[in-house]
Each structure stands twice: as structure tokens, then as C-alpha cells.
């Protein structure tokens, strides 16, 4: 196998657009089948087809620079054809334009902010007000008056406005330009406008050399009489030199503006505004910025069979639009081991051996000047074609971390032959949904299916006995875990999808078919089994209700463990079965999320003895305990020779090999990160064996020493979910949930209706853990925000009539919530709509998933209502896999029936459950929400 460097990001199947003019292309969606080790794998992808009237030669035939072939040879239909998208990033330079012009009303002015880089640009802006008496308001950022707001503006809390820049590009071929205009009036009492630019496509914020853009409109100077006047003359005040060049230009301009006004005749009773403004000139400043832009290139591969001298040959045609010098490093293999070998001659021209392990062939420019291609002929004795790409001597391209593999033989692989058909042993068969399942799942995981059968057989009670509910639940969870691992293995063999592309629900329900099973209730008391079942999946019983047992300020008393211990009985009586405690370790930050010495459990919340007493007390009242494990990053004890804090002390005295290499702040010598970097502390390299060994030892120690029953895992976006599975397998928690929090999809300041891409990213992380962990359903929280705040309850049903969050796709792995220590409390990063909290709880406490209730709400005036909702959930045995039938999802009301046991509605609109099949009794009637229970 050739040693290569993986390009980041990896390849993704995406909307592929070849370098042919758009008028000759059309997009359509069709099932795509990829052969792999005699298994058929199906997923949806988007392909580009050539227009029927387009000459075939312009699409497929090689140019005159390609290796010549005898077109008279008899070729069969295409044996294999696929196009892979290569997503690369490129730094693109652009400019932010700030312009001040005279408005339509000559007394007014118009501020224009523009940008010539592609993206979905949002102006995040605010103003600095002055009072009527001319005194400056201390608050630098504030919201402007409503008549200043351009269309599409959205208020952000009470201090800023977000306004989408308009795309003024006439067509995709034209130069990109976005701009927004803001009207300024003299009586607006504004001394400055502050802004930053946000690109919603990437979530990146753009500032001016690390500072907010600032446009001063008036410069005031206090006089001895405590009045405010414009400065006279063209003098610079102290501190002017500290401003950026951009700010200096604008400040300079306004000084000249005031000078021109000051120089006019003060004795004049009136000034002609046209004459006044004629003395002013328009102003335009350009500030350079750079942005990483995603570039979609492709590599397409086709294989045809043909006869030459009564022998079957393989004709491979590879084409790419990668710019620059592109080389193909390739070889062949004879079996499924995919061991590289060099095939015998003939080879294409300009082919040389590469380290005696492979061949290197240069791609040649195509005759039409669009991309480059290469053509290779191979014998039938090979089962596969292996390759990687190299561009400009510095970039290697692989497929999902592995070499590209193209099947050449039908002996161990199914042949692709059109849409919805495959060919095996020369017989064409229609691919049905049942055939897909059998081929892509059960044949692919025969060993796992047998293991499932063994689990059931080994744990059956004596013949004729009915197993207890606990045993049935245990068997179900074990089957679900195995099915999840099988699906994860299945998914790992297909290309990774980009953020813009999601796996449709029909393709993601193989595991969910198992997860959707409702645990049966035993009607006969069974005899106790002779042995217990060991459950590896950290998903609990399905009936958990979580209490987050702290907020952002809980550390301040220094005795939080003791304070919470006094509330253990109360929390148990409210119906909670799990409590989530704050991070227990020594930490640079008092809240615990900047851990230092992991084995030092004396924190601002209390000491180790108090922690153990607290856990013991919760166990006494029947509540299991989750520890908050911060595994992504760790603060160092010492500096290296360059003064960088990346040397650790304590029991886990790691050096800088434990820090990822691509963390820009901490000079790690480990491998590249497997996730997103957290920039405030060194990001730990979980690919290091010694790191994983130590962390597993630490988690197991916490389980034994403290008595934790499971984990809440912080910032799991920072490292691969497969490492999480390793940690959970070692520590064997009862329950585990990961915090995978990123931005939902927005367009021009409005939340998109379809959030499938967002929940797919969370689902993908859960699958990476082989389903051993749950994840917080951030998607559901975000959609509830928009639905309740703007009276858009139609958002609570997706295109298929299911809940639109993770709870709609994989409810047994969704931990639903409306608030936590980050989003609410004193941080308030993403606070739930005020006054709507009980509608949120009415939703998550009646729906499937595992609900989590925030500590602040339990101690608030909502306590009685929350207790009633928890009681209804437990009384009707609603669990994480309960079924939901959405009855209404309209502008002002959402209603659903859950397990045919309870009916609920939220929103000001009307709903009454039908009494055709059930008699319903009203259980709770709150502000804009109601819950009914089915009567027996």
C-alpha cells in the first residue's frame, strides 16, 4: 500500500457539476449502488447527466492527447462508473466596502456596507447613542431606532441587529457583490455605528484586524460648561494613533466634515441644505479580507470490458478537473486483501515506477481544455484497481482515509448495470427494498446477526416461561447495540456526506427499525434468571428523566455538593431518575470546563469527600449520577522551551505529543485533530495510545472511586466518536450523552424549515460511537425556539410528518432539552424564548427521547407544572422509543398523540383530541399548552 497523506477535508459525495456549460446539464436524483466485498450498498446521491442532444464525443471520448485506443474493438456496457467530489479549500482575497453618501433627502446620509466575496453575508451591527442633552451613553453597542432598520433585519437580544446583505450579482457567472444600505438622520442621536460581518455559510466572523468595525458619526468634546459641541478645527485628539488605518480614514473624514460646517457663517439664520452638502464629498473605504472558500473538484472513473485477441480486457478512463499538475499513483490487486502490485506492461505513456510499489502516470490535458484525463488497459486476471492522486507535488488525495478501490472482477463483487438493477452470474435481477436490506445489511453483517441470535438464545428463560420486563428490555438494548455497530460498519464503507447533503430517512432507518420497537410488558411474573445480562450500550432503560443539577453560578458558594445533597430527596420525589453533576476536577476556570489535573477532585464545587457523599445520597434516593467528563482539552502545568503551555503535570504527566498538531496555539507534536479545535486550551490527541489508555484508566477510577453511573461528555465535536466508543466500552457506564453543538441552518436571518443537515451531523456522531452514546438534541431546541418565538408551530413537523429533530430519526439516542448552563443561566448564549418555557417542557416531557430539565427551572415558579408533566410521563410509561402521531402542525398550534396514551397541544390555537377511539380527560391546562390522558 502506498504511503500517503490524507487531504482534509475528505472526499464527499456531493452535487457534482462537470466543467460542461450549465445549459447542457440537468440534475436528478437516483439510487446509487457501490459494490464492496460482494455486498450491495445503497444510498442516495445527486448526479449530473449530459443533455440528450449533447454530442457523445464531447462528453466521453478522450482527447487527441489521450492514449489512443482502437474504437473498433467490441466493448460491452459500462462495468463500473462513478464520480467522486473532492472538496478542497482555497483562500480567496476580497474586500469590505464602507461608503457614506448623501441620501435621497439631502439633509440625510446613507451608509453602505458591501462585500465582494461569495457567501451568505450578515451585518451584525449596533449603534452608540447620545442623549438629547448631548451626553454620551456609556453602552457602546445598542439597538437603533426602528425606522433605521433595513428590510429583513432581526434583533439580537437588546444590543444588536442582524441584517442580511443583498446579493446584487445578476447571475452565477457575474462577479459576486453583496451590500446593505442604512439611512442616517441627524435627529437619530447616534455618535457611531459598530459592526462585524458574519458569513452564515461557514459561521465565520470577520472583524477589522481583530476589532469591531467602527464608523464614528460625531466627535464630541466636553466644554467647561458641561455642554457638548463638535470639535472645531482639524486637530487630532489623544489616542488617535491607536486606531486602525480604516478607523483613522473615517475619523479623518468626519473631522473635515465638521471643519467645513464650523467654517460657515454662524450668523446665518438658515442654511440651504443643498448648499451645505455641496461642500461635502462622498466617502469610500475598502478593507481587504480573506475567506476560505470550498472548491468542488471531481475525479470520475469508468470501466468497460472489451475483447482483444479473444481475451477480455478492462478499459479504464479517469478524468478530473483538478487544476495544475496531477499525477495518478496506481496499482492492481488480485483479491479482496487489496494488496498493491505493479501490473505488467504495456502502460500509458509517461508512466514510471514509484518506489517499486506502484506506477505513476501523469494526467494529460483534454483537447477541449477542460480538465485532464488518463486511460489504462488491464487484463482480466486482476480483481481491483487501486489509486491515489497527487497534485502539484504537495497534496495527496485519498478516499475517506483509504486508497481508492475500483472493482474489475465480478467474482467477488456485484456488477453495476443501470438504475435499480444488478447483474450476478449473468442474470439480471430487479433490486427490491427487501433485496437491498438483505444484501447491504444482513449479508454484510452475518456475524453480527448470529451474535444477536445467540444473545436471545442464551438469555431465554425456561421453556414456556415469560421473561421479565427487565430482561426483555436488556435483550432489546443488546440487539439494538449490535444492530447499531453493524450499521456503523456498513456506513463506514460508503463515502462521507458533506454538510449540504443528508442521508434520506428511508436510508437511515435500518437501526431505527430496531429502535422503534416498544418494549413489551410482561403480563406474567417470571422466575428469576440464573444469570444476569451484561449491557454494553450506555443508553439506560429508556425511561430516564434527567435533572441538570447545577447552573453557571453554582461554584460560587464553594459548597455546592453539600447544598445539592440537601435537595436529593426533593429531586427524587419530583420523579427524576438521573442527575447530571458539574465537572469534578481541578480547573483553571471555576466552572470546571478547563480541567488541569484530572485525578485532583478538589474543585470549587467541593472536595472529593463531599462529592462521594453526594453521589451516595443520590443512590440512596434512587437517582443515578452522571459525571461531566471534559475529554477534548486539558490545561497544561508547564511551558515548553518556546514559552507555550503544553506540558502537563499531575498523575497524567503528558508532554506535547498529547496535543494535536493542527492546534494553532499550542504547538502540539501529536497527529492532526479528528474534530474541531477548542481554541482556549490544548486539544488532546486521542489517536495516541497512551492518551486513550490513561483516559480509560481515569474514567474507570471515577466509576469505582466516586460511584458515577455514567457520563455527560463535553464538546464531542472535538474528537472522533470512535474514541468515545473505546472509552465507554472500558468504563461501562449505565448512560452516556455527548454535547454535539453546532449552528442550525439559516437563510437571510431566518431559520431554514429543513434542518435535516443539522440533525444528520448529530446522527453521524452517534453512529461513530456505534450507538453506545446518546446526544443532546440541539436541533429540536433550535426549532422550538423559532416555532414558539414567532408563532410558527408548523416547523414542528418535518416533510414526512415526523418530529423534525434527532428525536424524529433516532429517538432512543436523543436527549431533549430546552435550556442548560451554557444557553441559559447567567451566560445566556442561546436563551429559550422568555415566557414559553412550559410549552417547551410540555413538548419534551410528552415526546420520545430522554428529556433533561434545567436546575434553574426546577427551582422557579415552574416547579409545580414541571412536576405535573413528569408525573404524567411516568404514569403513562412514556419512554425514549414512544411513538408520535402528529395531529396538527399549523401556524398557531402543534398537537400530537403519543403511544395512544396521551394527547398534547402547544400554541394559542385550538385543538381537541378525537373521541372516536379513546375517551380523553384533561390532565393539565397551562398557558398555551394542554395535556390529555386516555381513559380506560
Amino acid at each position: 500500500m502506498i504511503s500517503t497523506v490524507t487531504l482534509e477535508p475528505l472526499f464527499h459525495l456531493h452535487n457534482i457539476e462537470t466543467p460542461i456549460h450549465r445549459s447542457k446539464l440537468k440534475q436528478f436524483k437516483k439510487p446509487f449502488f457501490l459494490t464492496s466485498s460482494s455486498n450491495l450498498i445503497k444510498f442516495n446521491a445527486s448526479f449530473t447527466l449530459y443533455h440528450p442532444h449533447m454530442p457523445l464525443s464531447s462528453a466521453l471520448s478522450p482527447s487527441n492527447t489521450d492514449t489512443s485506443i482502437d474504437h473498433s474493438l467490441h466493448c460491452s456496457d459500462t462495468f463500473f462508473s462513478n464520480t467522486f467530489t473532492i472538496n478542497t479549500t482555497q483562500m480567496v482575497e476580497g474586500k469590505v466596502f464602507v461608503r457614506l453618501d448623501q441620501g435621497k433627502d439631502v439633509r440625510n446620509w446613507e451608509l453602505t456596507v458591501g462585500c465582494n466575496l461569495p457567501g451568505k453575508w450578515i451585518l451584525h451591527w449596533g449603534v452608540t447613542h447620545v442623549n438629547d442633552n448631548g451626553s454620551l451613553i456609556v453602552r457602546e453597542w445598542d439597538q437603533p431606532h426602528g425606522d433605521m432598520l433595513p428590510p429583513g433585519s432581526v434583533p439580537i437580544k437588546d444590543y444588536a441587529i442582524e441584517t442580511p446583505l443583498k446579493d446584487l450579482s445578476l447571475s452565477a457567472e457575474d462577479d459576486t457583490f453583496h451590500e446593505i444600505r442604512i439611512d442616517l438622520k441627524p435627529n437619530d442621536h447616534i455618535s457611531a455605528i459598530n459592526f462585524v460581518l458574519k458569513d452564515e455559510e461557514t459561521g465565520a466572523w470577520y472583524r477589522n484586524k481583530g476589532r469591531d468595525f467602527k464608523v464614528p458619526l460625531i466627535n464630541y468634546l466636553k466644554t467647561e460648561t458641561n455642554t457638548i459641541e463638535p470639535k472645531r478645527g482639524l486637530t487630532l485628539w489623544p489616542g488617535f494613533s491607536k486606531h486602525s488605518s480604516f478607523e483613522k480614514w473615517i475619523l479623518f473624514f468626519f473631522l473635515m466634515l465638521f471643519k467645513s460646517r464650523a467654517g460657515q457663517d454662524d450668523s446665518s439664520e438658515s442654511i440651504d441644505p443643498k448648499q451645505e452638502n455641496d461642500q461635502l464629498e462622498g466617502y469610500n473605504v475598502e478593507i481587504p479580507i480573506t475567506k476560505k472558500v470550498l472548491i468542488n473538484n471531481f475525479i470520475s472513473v469508468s470501466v468497460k470490458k472489451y475483447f482483444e485477441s479473444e481475451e477480455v480486457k478492462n478499459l479504464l478512463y479517469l478524468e478530473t478537473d483538478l487544476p495544475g499538475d496531477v499525477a495518478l499513483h496506481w496499482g492492481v490487486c488480485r483479491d479482496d486483501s487489496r494488496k498493491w502490485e505493479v501490473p505488467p506492461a504495456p502502460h500509458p505513456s509517461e508512466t514510471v515506477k514509484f518506489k517499486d510499489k506502484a506506477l505513476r502516470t501523469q494526467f494529460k490535458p483534454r483537447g477541449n481544455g477542460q480538465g485532464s484525463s488518463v486511460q489504462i488497459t488491464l487484463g482480466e486476471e486482476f480483481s481491483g484497481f487501486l489509486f491515489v492522486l497527487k497534485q502539484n507535488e504537495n497534496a495527496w488525495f485519498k478516499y475517506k482515509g483509504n486508497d481508492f478501490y475500483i472493482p474489475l472482477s465480478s467474482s467477488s463483487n456485484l456488477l453495476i448495470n443501470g438504475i435499480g438493477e444488478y447483474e450476478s452470474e449473468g442474470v439480471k435481477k430487479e433490486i427490491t427494498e427487501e433485496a437491498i436490506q438483505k444484501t447491504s445489511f444482513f449479508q454484510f453483517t452475518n456475524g453480527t446477526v448470529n451474535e444477536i441470535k445467540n444473545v436471545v438464545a442464551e438469555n431465554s428463560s425456561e421453556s414456556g416461561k415469560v421473561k421479565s420486563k427487565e430482561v426483555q428490555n436488556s435483550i432489546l438494548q443488546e440487539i439494538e447495540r449490535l444492530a447499531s455497530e453493524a450499521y456503523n460498519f456498513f456506513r463506514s464503507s460508503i463515502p462521507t456526506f458533506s454538510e449540504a447533503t443528508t442521508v434520506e430517512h428511508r436510508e437511515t432507518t435500518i437501526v431505527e427499525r430496531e429502535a422503534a420497537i416498544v418494549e413489551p410488558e410482561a403480563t406474567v411474573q417470571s422466575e428469576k434468571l440464573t444469570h444476569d445480562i451484561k449491557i454494553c450500550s450506555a443508553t439506560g432503560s429508556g425511561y430516564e428523566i434527567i435533572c441538570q443539577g447545577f447552573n453557571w453560578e453554582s461554584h460560587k458558594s464553594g459548597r455546592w455538593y453539600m447544598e445539592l445533597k440537601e435537595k436529593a430527596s426533593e429531586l427524587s420525589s419530583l420523579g427524576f431518575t438521573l442527575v447530571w453533576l458539574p465537572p469534578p476536577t481541578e480547573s483553571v476556570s471555576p466552572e470546571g470546563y478547563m480541567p488541569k489535573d484530572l485525578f485532583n477532585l478538589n474543585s470549587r464545587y467541593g472536595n472529593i469527600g463531599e462529592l462521594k457523599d453526594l453521589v451516595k445520597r443520590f443512590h440512596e434516593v434512587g437517582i443515578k449520577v452522571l459525571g461531566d467528563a471534559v475529554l477534548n482539552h486539558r490545561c497544561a502545568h508547564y511551558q515548553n522551551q518556546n514559552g507555550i503551555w503544553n506540558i502537563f503535570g499531575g498523575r497524567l504527566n503528558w508532554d506535547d505529543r498529547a496535543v494535536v498538531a493542527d492546534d494553532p496555539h499550542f504547538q502540539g507534536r501529536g497527529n492532526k485533530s479528528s474534530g474541531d479545535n477548542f481554541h482556549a486550551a490544548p486539544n488532546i490527541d486521542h489517536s495516541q495510545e497512551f492518551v486513550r489508555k490513561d483516559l480509560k484508566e481515569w474514567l474507570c477510577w471515577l466509576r469505582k472511586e466516586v460511584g458515577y453511573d455514567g457520563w455527560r461528555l463535553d464538546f464531542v465535536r472535538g474528537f472522533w466518536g470512535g474514541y468515545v466508543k473505546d472509552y465507554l466500552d472500558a468504563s461501562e457506564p449505565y448512560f452516556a450523552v455527548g454535547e454535539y453543538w453546532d449552528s442550525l441552518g439559516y437563510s437571510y436571518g431566518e431559520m431554514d424549515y429543513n434542518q435535516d443537515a443539522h440533525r444528520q451531523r448529530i446522527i453521524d456522531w452517534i453512529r461513530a460511537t456505534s450507538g453506545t452514546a446518546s446526544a443532546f438534541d440541539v436541533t429540536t431546541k433550535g426549532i422550538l425556539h423559532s416555532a414558539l418565538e414567532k408563532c410558527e408551530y408548523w416547523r414542528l413537523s418535518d416533510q414526512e410528518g415526523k418530529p423534525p429533530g434527532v428525536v424524529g430519526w433516532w429517538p432512543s439516542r436523543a436527549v431533549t432539552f430546552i435550556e442548560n448552563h451554557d444557553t441559559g443561566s447567567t451566560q445566556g448564549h442561546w436563551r429559550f424564548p422568555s415566557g414559553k418555557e412550559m410549552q417547551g417542557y410540555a413538548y419534551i416531557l410528552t415526546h420520545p427521547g430522554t428529556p433533561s430539565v434545567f436546575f434553574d427551572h426546577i427551582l422557579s415558579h415552574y416547579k409545580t407544572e414541571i412536576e405535573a408533566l413528569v408525573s404524567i410521563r411516568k404514569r403513562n410509561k412514556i419512554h425514549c422509543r414512544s411513538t408520535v402521531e402528529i395531529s396538527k402542525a399549523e401556524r398557531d398550534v402543534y398537537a400530537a398523540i403519543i403511544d395512544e396514551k396521551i394527547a398534547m397541544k402547544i400554541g394559542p390555537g385550538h385543538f381537541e383530541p378525537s373521541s372516536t377511539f379513546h375517551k380523553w380527560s384533561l390532565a393539565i391546562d397551562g398557558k398555551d399548552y394542554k395535556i390529555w390522558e386516555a381513559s380506560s
Side-chain angles (χ1 to χ4, degrees):
M1 182 177 293
I2 295 180
S3 175
T4 60
V5 178
T6 305
L7 180 77
E8 292 187 1
L10 301 173
F11 294 92
H12 301 287
L13 263 175
H14 198 50
N15 291 338
I16 299 163
E17 192 169 288
T18 62
I20 309 297
H21 194 273
R22 286 182 174 84
S23 63
K24 295 184 178 181
L25 300 172
K26 65 177 182 179
Q27 297 278 342
F28 84 114
K29 231 174 186 185
K30 69 174 185 177
F32 172 74
F33 299 89
L34 175 66
T35 58
S36 175
S37 186
S38 73
N39 303 288
L40 189 65
I41 300 170
K42 177 185 177 185
F43 53 96
N44 277 353
S46 184
F47 290 86
T48 301
L49 287 187
Y50 296 103
H51 193 280
H53 300 296
M54 176 181 174
L56 184 62
S57 59
S58 65
L60 296 177
S61 63
S63 67
N64 55 11
T65 61
D66 295 326
T67 306
S68 61
I69 77 166
D70 184 357
H71 290 281
S72 65
L73 296 175
H74 172 64
C75 289
S76 67
D77 292 336
T78 301
F79 172 83
F80 177 91
S81 180
N82 191 19
T83 302
F84 304 92
T85 294
I86 307 172
N87 288 340
T88 60
T89 56
Q90 178 178 329
M91 294 300 297
V92 177
E93 295 182 354
K95 293 181 179 179
V96 173
F97 302 86
V98 182
R99 185 173 67 248
L100 187 71
D101 288 321
Q102 197 172 6
K104 295 179 181 178
D105 184 339
V106 293
R107 292 181 179 271
N108 300 333
W109 289 85
E110 183 179 67
L111 179 68
T112 302
V113 179
C115 180
N116 65 352
L117 286 176
K120 286 186 178 180
W121 293 100
I122 302 292
L123 187 74
H124 184 93
W125 62 289
V127 300
T128 304
H129 281 122
V130 292
N131 290 326
D132 292 338
N133 62 6
S135 61
L136 282 170
I137 293 179
V138 176
R139 188 172 178 177
E140 187 174 9
W141 277 74
D142 210 340
Q143 289 184 347
H145 302 299
D147 55 358
M148 281 186 64
L149 304 184
S153 296
V154 176
I156 304 299
K157 297 186 179 178
D158 62 346
Y159 67 89
I161 297 292
E162 286 195 349
T163 305
L165 275 64
K166 295 181 180 179
D167 186 356
L168 302 183
S169 309
L170 297 178
S171 66
E173 285 77 15
D174 292 335
D175 291 338
T176 299
F177 192 77
H178 305 76
E179 75 166 23
I180 190 64
R181 299 184 180 187
I182 300 173
D183 292 328
L184 307 176
K185 298 178 181 178
N187 59 357
D188 282 335
H189 302 292
I190 294 174
S191 65
I193 292 181
N194 311 287
F195 71 89
V196 293
L197 277 176
K198 181 172 72 171
D199 181 10
E200 285 212 333
E201 285 186 350
T202 62
W205 294 78
Y206 292 81
R207 290 178 166 84
N208 181 33
K209 296 183 179 179
R211 302 174 60 185
D212 298 343
F213 292 93
K214 188 178 185 69
V215 182
L217 301 180
I218 301 176
N219 182 57
Y220 288 97
L221 178 67
K222 283 190 176 183
T223 64
E224 292 182 357
T225 58
N226 203 32
T227 60
I228 302 294
E229 296 179 346
K231 270 194 168 184
R232 307 296 181 181
L234 189 60
T235 59
L236 302 182
W237 57 93
F240 177 83
S241 60
K242 296 181 180 179
H243 288 276
S244 67
S245 57
F246 160 67
E247 290 171 335
K248 287 179 182 178
W249 274 106
I250 291 188
L251 294 171
F252 183 78
F253 164 74
F254 280 104
L255 282 174
M256 294 194 65
L257 183 153
F258 296 133
K259 179 182 178 182
S260 66
R261 287 183 172 173
Q264 297 185 25
D265 186 0
D266 292 337
S267 64
S268 301
E269 293 183 2
S270 63
I271 298 176
D272 180 5
K274 182 70 172 69
Q275 178 183 357
E276 176 188 4
N277 284 339
D278 279 345
Q279 300 180 34
L280 307 177
E281 296 181 359
Y283 178 73
N284 186 27
V285 169
E286 300 177 0
I287 305 98
I289 63 171
T290 58
K291 174 187 174 180
K292 280 188 177 181
V293 177
L294 185 68
I295 307 296
N296 289 334
N297 297 108
F298 73 90
I299 173 71
S300 63
V301 184
S302 64
V303 181
K304 287 191 175 185
K305 303 285 185 178
Y306 73 94
F307 291 95
E308 182 180 64
S309 302
E310 299 183 353
E311 291 184 1
V312 179
K313 299 286 188 180
N314 293 290
L315 179 64
L316 288 84
Y317 182 74
L318 296 89
E319 180 184 350
T320 183
D321 66 344
L322 282 169
D325 184 30
V326 182
L328 179 75
H329 287 246
W330 60 282
V332 294
C333 62
R334 297 181 182 271
D335 51 43
D336 288 342
S337 66
R338 302 185 184 180
K339 183 178 179 181
W340 283 64
E341 67 174 82
V342 175
H347 303 142
S349 59
E350 299 186 16
T351 296
V352 296
K353 276 192 176 185
F354 181 76
K355 298 182 178 179
D356 292 325
K357 295 181 179 180
L359 297 173
R360 180 170 60 192
T361 303
Q362 293 296 125
F363 277 78
K364 295 183 179 180
R366 299 187 71 225
N368 56 12
Q370 296 176 333
S372 56
S373 62
V374 66
Q375 196 166 270
I376 298 172
T377 301
L378 294 171
E380 184 69 0
E381 67 270 23
F382 305 112
S383 65
F385 175 74
L386 302 158
F387 72 92
V388 294
L389 298 174
K390 187 178 183 183
Q391 181 189 28
N392 296 335
E393 298 300 324
N394 59 6
W396 290 88
F397 297 84
K398 304 176 70 178
Y399 171 71
K400 205 180 178 186
N402 298 310
D403 306 327
F404 282 89
Y405 172 77
I406 307 299
L408 301 178
S409 170
S410 61
S411 60
S412 61
N413 293 282
L414 298 174
L415 308 186
I416 307 304
N417 192 12
I419 302 173
E421 292 183 342
Y422 70 91
E423 186 173 318
S424 179
E425 298 179 358
V427 180
K428 288 186 178 180
K429 300 180 182 180
E430 181 182 357
I431 295 178
T432 64
E433 184 68 22
E434 181 181 4
I436 292 167
Q437 293 174 21
K438 288 181 178 178
T439 307
S440 64
F441 182 66
F442 291 108
Q443 288 185 8
F444 196 67
T445 58
N446 281 333
T448 301
V449 173
N450 290 332
E451 189 176 346
I452 291 174
K453 293 178 180 178
N454 292 335
V455 169
V456 177
E458 290 174 5
N459 294 286
S460 296
S461 59
E462 296 178 12
S463 177
K465 302 290 185 179
V466 179
K467 289 184 287 293
S468 69
K469 181 177 178 180
E470 180 183 356
V471 173
Q472 291 171 353
N473 291 347
S474 298
I475 293 175
L476 176 66
Q477 292 172 35
E478 184 67 1
I479 290 174
E480 187 175 329
R481 182 189 67 81
L482 293 169
S484 177
E485 288 183 350
Y487 190 85
N488 189 61
F489 180 51
F490 152 68
R491 182 173 172 80
S492 68
S493 63
I494 64 176
T496 304
F497 285 77
S498 67
E499 287 190 4
T501 310
T502 62
V503 183
E504 291 194 358
H505 182 63
R506 290 186 300 277
E507 268 47 72
T508 61
T509 54
I510 292 176
V511 176
E512 194 56 29
R513 292 188 183 104
E514 296 289 343
I517 300 173
V518 179
E519 294 93 331
E521 296 184 23
T523 57
V524 180
Q525 184 68 30
S526 67
E527 296 181 6
K528 181 175 177 62
L529 294 183
T530 57
H531 60 278
D532 295 328
I533 299 173
K534 182 180 179 182
I535 301 301
C536 299
S537 183
T539 56
S541 68
Y543 292 89
E544 281 72 30
I545 302 175
I546 302 173
C547 163
Q548 179 178 358
F550 64 100
N551 62 29
W552 194 247
E553 305 295 321
S554 296
H555 65 89
K556 289 189 173 180
S557 69
R559 57 184 306 273
W560 181 248
Y561 293 151
M562 304 308 294
E563 294 175 14
L564 192 59
K565 180 181 176 181
E566 297 172 0
K567 301 183 184 298
S569 295
E570 182 182 3
L571 294 176
S572 178
S573 66
L574 291 174
F576 293 104
T577 64
L578 276 175
V579 63
W580 157 23
L581 298 185
T585 61
E586 176 197 15
S587 170
V588 171
S589 64
E591 299 82 12
Y593 288 99
M594 299 283 280
K596 194 173 180 181
D597 184 353
L598 299 185
F599 280 89
N600 182 353
L601 300 189
N602 296 317
S603 70
R604 291 290 296 273
Y605 299 100
N607 59 44
I608 184 173
E610 293 168 341
L611 174 60
K612 292 166 71 172
D613 287 345
L614 174 62
V615 172
K616 180 182 178 181
R617 179 57 184 154
F618 273 122
H619 286 167
E620 289 173 350
V621 298
I623 296 179
K624 289 181 166 54
V625 181
L626 302 182
D628 202 325
V630 184
L631 303 178
N632 174 76
H633 51 273
R634 182 185 172 196
C635 293
H637 292 69
Y638 313 107
Q639 296 171 288
N640 68 1
Q641 64 273 19
N642 299 322
I644 303 298
W645 293 87
N646 61 12
I647 307 298
F648 303 92
R651 184 164 164 182
L652 304 182
N653 54 346
W654 302 333
D655 60 15
D656 52 6
R657 292 174 301 159
V659 180
V660 296
D662 51 349
D663 187 327
H665 305 293
F666 295 100
Q667 296 182 4
R669 290 194 297 122
N671 298 311
K672 288 188 176 181
S673 175
S674 57
D676 297 334
N677 279 332
F678 177 79
H679 295 295
N683 288 257
I684 300 305
D685 179 12
H686 294 264
S687 70
Q688 301 283 8
E689 179 64 30
F690 73 90
V691 168
R692 294 199 307 277
K693 177 179 177 296
D694 286 347
L695 289 179
K696 285 186 284 188
E697 179 184 347
W698 176 63
L699 292 171
C700 292
W701 176 77
L702 287 176
R703 289 270 280 134
K704 182 178 180 181
E705 182 70 19
V706 178
Y708 285 125
D709 301 289
W711 315 115
R712 180 267 186 185
L713 302 169
D714 183 65
F715 198 75
V716 295
R717 280 175 52 199
F719 54 103
W720 178 49
Y723 299 133
V724 172
K725 179 184 185 302
D726 196 18
Y727 299 140
L728 298 186
D729 286 346
S731 59
E732 297 184 335
Y734 171 80
F735 191 90
V737 55
E739 179 208 29
Y740 193 100
W741 181 6
D742 67 354
S743 298
L744 279 77
Y746 291 83
S747 296
Y748 304 106
E750 292 289 330
M751 180 182 289
D752 297 335
Y753 166 64
N754 188 330
Q755 295 294 337
D756 287 355
H758 185 266
R759 59 175 165 174
Q760 184 67 51
R761 293 193 290 275
I762 300 176
I763 290 282
D764 288 344
W765 178 82
I766 299 172
R767 286 209 180 103
T769 73
S770 296
T772 57
S774 300
F776 286 107
D777 192 350
V778 181
T779 315
T780 290
K781 173 177 166 64
I783 294 173
L784 280 170
H785 272 245
S786 190
L788 274 58
E789 193 169 36
K790 299 183 178 181
C791 200
E792 296 174 342
Y793 291 85
W794 46 267
R795 291 181 177 274
L796 294 173
S797 177
D798 68 10
Q799 299 94 322
E800 296 185 355
K802 297 179 180 295
V806 177
V807 74
W809 277 1
W810 204 347
S812 66
R813 300 300 188 272
V815 174
T816 52
F817 71 108
I818 70 168
E819 207 78 288
N820 62 29
H821 61 291
D822 286 320
T823 65
S825 191
T826 54
Q827 287 204 99
H829 288 322
W830 194 24
R831 200 178 300 280
F832 202 77
S834 179
K836 313 282 187 181
E837 290 88 352
M838 285 313 304
Q839 289 188 62
Y841 282 124
Y843 182 92
I844 70 171
L845 285 169
T846 59
H847 278 56
T850 301
S852 178
V853 181
F854 186 41
F855 192 80
D856 289 8
H857 294 157
I858 298 172
L859 299 183
S860 72
H861 60 284
Y862 296 134
K863 175 182 175 181
T864 302
E865 292 177 89
I866 291 174
E867 182 179 12
L869 288 172
V870 171
S871 177
I872 292 171
R873 182 181 183 91
K874 300 188 78 168
R875 186 164 62 242
N876 290 277
K877 300 178 181 177
I878 303 302
H879 51 83
C880 69
R881 300 176 183 86
S882 289
T883 59
V884 178
E885 180 185 342
I886 297 177
S887 303
K888 258 189 177 183
E890 300 175 357
R891 182 188 66 82
D892 60 352
V893 64
Y894 167 86
I897 310 294
I898 297 89
D899 279 354
E900 298 186 355
K901 295 178 180 178
I902 63 174
M904 60 81 66
K905 81 99 179 176
I906 56 175
H910 175 74
F911 171 79
E912 292 284 339
S914 171
S915 59
T916 303
F917 301 105
H918 297 283
K919 292 183 180 180
W920 299 95
S921 59
L922 185 63
I924 184 170
D925 186 356
K927 182 181 178 182
D928 289 336
Y929 76 92
K930 291 182 179 181
I931 313 291
W932 296 263
E933 294 180 278
S935 303
S936 55

